[in-house]
Amino acid sequence: MLLRPTPLTTATVLAISALQGALPGPPAAAAPSLATYTLARAGSLTISAPVAVSLGSAAPGGRRSAPLGTVTVTDHRDPGAGVWTATVSSTDYTRTTAPVVTIGRANMSYWSGPATDTQGGGTFIPGQPTAASSVTLAVPRTAFSHTAQAGVNNASWNPTLVLSVPFAGVSSGAYTGVVTHSVA
């Protein structure tokens, strides 16, 4: 698409040119400064994850695992979309009926598994490709990432959550916590 200057734009440019000729130049010892401007990418970088999942039940000292469901990152940023990192974090898990009891988030483990679907170029890297590489959610962890600016892309994976129930300090009942996926 060819953009033609409007009369207002042309007049503005001419007025600036006329002013530049009338103003004195910089002193001989002046050093030019480089001015930069970064153009923000158009489009969006989004992540979606299941709203709720039940891990079922386990006895004190037991473990319970379940797939979370599909998590998808969609990168529609232009120009040069591509590099992103998806992070997963967790809250503690609390039984809200009396007596209130908490299972710490360090008892929740996560592994992303491999991508179940990808589109676009670049390299898609699972944070924890196998069960043997699972990590606790005591701190935020990398769930998945994409390297190289390769244009519009997306990736999906179906992570697994593993809860290790402590032997002591827990009571029977339903515990609730929040697992959050974010992308930047």
Side-chain angles (χ1 to χ4, degrees):
M1 174 169 151
L2 178 62
L3 297 176
R4 299 192 188 280
T6 63
L8 178 59
T9 304
T10 304
T12 303
V13 171
L14 291 175
I16 291 171
S17 295
L19 283 176
Q20 286 177 344
L23 296 176
S33 297
L34 179 63
T36 62
Y37 175 77
T38 303
L39 181 63
R41 291 179 175 175
S44 61
L45 175 63
T46 61
I47 191 165
S48 63
V51 174
V53 64
S54 173
L55 297 178
S57 63
R63 291 179 65 156
R64 183 70 185 148
S65 68
L68 177 65
T70 301
V71 177
T72 302
V73 170
T74 304
D75 189 352
H76 284 281
R77 298 172 294 168
D78 286 321
V83 177
W84 51 260
T85 299
T87 303
V88 60
S89 61
S90 178
T91 64
D92 291 334
Y93 297 83
T94 305
R95 179 176 176 253
T96 56
T97 57
V100 175
V101 179
T102 299
I103 298 175
R105 64 181 175 240
N107 290 71
M108 182 64 77
S109 294
Y110 177 98
W111 62 282
S112 61
T116 56
D117 184 39
T118 61
Q119 293 180 341
T123 303
F124 298 91
I125 304 167
Q128 307 77 30
T130 65
S133 59
S134 68
V135 292
T136 72
L137 294 181
V139 296
R141 305 291 186 162
T142 297
F144 230 90
S145 60
H146 181 253
T147 62
Q149 291 190 349
V152 173
N153 65 82
N154 64 56
S156 297
W157 64 97
N158 188 2
T160 299
L161 296 173
V162 181
L163 179 64
S164 297
V165 180
F167 280 107
V170 292
S171 300
S172 62
Y175 289 74
T176 303
V178 178
V179 173
T180 302
H181 284 86
S182 57
V183 67

